[in-house]
Every structure is written in structure tokens, then in C-alpha cells.
Amino acid sequence: MLTLFLAPGSSSMAPHIALHEVGAKFEIRPLSFARREHREPAYLAINPEGKVPVLIVDGRPLTEVAGILFYIARRFPHAGLLPIDDPEAEARIVSWMSFLASTVHPARRRGLEHAMDAYRIVEKRLGNQEFVVGSRMSIADIHLFRLFWRFRRSANIAPGELPVLQALYDRIKERPAVKQTCEIEEKIGYELPV
């Protein structure tokens, strides 16, 4: 059994989507940032950083979005979230995951214009592809979707300003796994600042 510790709308949304996407059997343990549950000793014993997500695999904690998404894709290869026999495509996905974690995710903390610059780079990198790497959704698309989902909620993006990224976002948000995740997390309640 897999257990995902999450806070609705936070970075944990990406592994939550991926677990639904692959059809995994798992349970969730929501944490409230407002009640500082991520800072309680019991949780800090699981993840001393006090961050989400954490995926418990056979009693062992796995942290960081990229690591958890990679694990899910490898454990459930039938879902095709990571290419099996294409080292270059796999490397491109790893490259995207690194770029998203090191450049796009922290850009928001440096201000709206800096974040917009990061998303303009995303737009250029996407080019005219349907998904991050070709015509099939991957873990990088899920990670990007969640980052843009959060950014869109707080930024006033002019219509047509990021058309390729918006089209990717629109395609992914219609997937049953994404709808299911959003419904569950909305029911628990978002506590993130806008």
C-alpha cells in the first residue's frame, strides 16, 4: 500500500494526479498548513524538512516531487508516463523535471515578472509539441500542469499571452485523473495564498 501525505493544491498535487493516472491503490493523508500539521513532531519524524509531498513506500518515506513522480512512472510502466525503451526521451523528461524544479518553481518567489519570464521560456521549450516530449503525456507534463495551475490562480495572465502552455494546461485538466484529484483536494480545502 502506498500512502501520500499531501496539502491540497501544493506541490503534492502532482504525485496525487500521477497516482490516479496510473490507477494505483493508495491512501492519502492530508495535512493542514494553517494548523501547521507539517511541523508536528510525528510528521517531522517522517520528513525532517516538514514539506509535502511524502510518499510512503513499504514503510519508507520518499520525498521531492521529481523523485516521487519518477518512482510512480517506473513502478507503473503500463501507464506510459516515462518512456521504457527510449533513453533520449527519458533524458528529455528528466531535463524538464530538473528545469521545472530549479527554474520554474522558485521563479514565483522572485516576483510576477520573473515568473512570467520563466513561463515564457517554458513556452519556447514546448514549441509546437502536444506534450513536453512529443505526443504522449509524461510525469514532466503533470509537474508542469501543477505549477501552472498554481501560478494561474495568482497571476493575471492576459488571454493569448502563453497560448502553447495554456493549450497544454487545457488538455491535461480534462483528464479524468486530474478532475478526480482536483475534486478530492477541493473537498478537503485549499489553504494556499492566492
Side-chain angles (χ1 to χ4, degrees):
M1 176 59 103
L2 299 171
T3 302
L4 178 67
F5 285 84
L6 61 81
S10 72
S11 294
S12 57
M13 179 187 266
H16 194 186
I17 290 169
L19 287 164
H20 285 294
E21 189 72 37
V22 301
K25 290 183 180 179
F26 68 100
E27 61 181 39
I28 61 169
R29 299 272 175 87
L31 297 173
S32 168
F33 287 154
R35 292 190 301 273
R36 300 194 44 80
E37 292 173 346
H38 62 298
R39 304 307 303 165
E40 291 180 0
Y43 186 69
L44 292 173
I46 295 167
N47 183 1
E49 292 180 74
K51 297 182 347 184
V52 292
V54 171
L55 182 66
I56 303 297
V57 179
D58 298 327
R60 295 178 309 276
L62 181 59
T63 64
E64 302 298 330
V65 172
I68 294 170
L69 288 174
F70 188 80
Y71 170 81
I72 293 167
R74 285 295 188 135
R75 179 159 176 189
F76 301 94
H78 67 276
L81 293 179
L82 195 64
I84 295 172
D85 295 322
D86 186 344
E88 183 180 347
E90 185 175 7
R92 289 182 189 281
I93 290 168
V94 170
S95 173
W96 267 94
M97 295 292 284
S98 178
F99 168 68
L100 293 171
S102 66
T103 303
V104 178
H105 192 189
R108 192 165 179 259
R109 282 181 250 152
R110 295 183 59 196
L112 178 62
E113 193 52 41
H114 189 77
M116 280 302 295
D117 288 344
Y119 282 106
R120 287 182 191 108
I121 294 169
V122 167
E123 183 91 352
K124 288 177 186 173
R125 284 185 70 162
L126 286 171
N128 60 1
Q129 298 182 124
E130 187 177 359
F131 292 104
V132 165
V133 178
S135 61
R136 188 170 180 99
M137 189 177 78
S138 71
I139 55 175
D141 295 286
I142 293 171
H143 194 179
L144 176 56
F145 170 84
R146 186 271 158 194
L147 290 171
F148 194 59
W149 174 89
R150 175 84 166 92
F151 182 66
R152 287 177 80 251
R153 293 172 63 89
S154 61
N156 247 345
I157 301 170
E161 189 163 355
L162 299 168
V164 176
L165 181 54
Q166 184 64 50
L168 176 100
Y169 174 86
D170 290 342
R171 272 191 299 282
I172 294 173
K173 80 175 181 182
E174 294 305 316
R175 296 181 73 87
V178 175
K179 288 181 177 182
Q180 184 179 12
T181 300
C182 289
E183 286 172 12
I184 291 168
E185 294 195 6
E186 189 171 330
K187 193 177 287 187
I188 295 167
Y190 299 124
E191 297 178 342
L192 301 174
V194 177

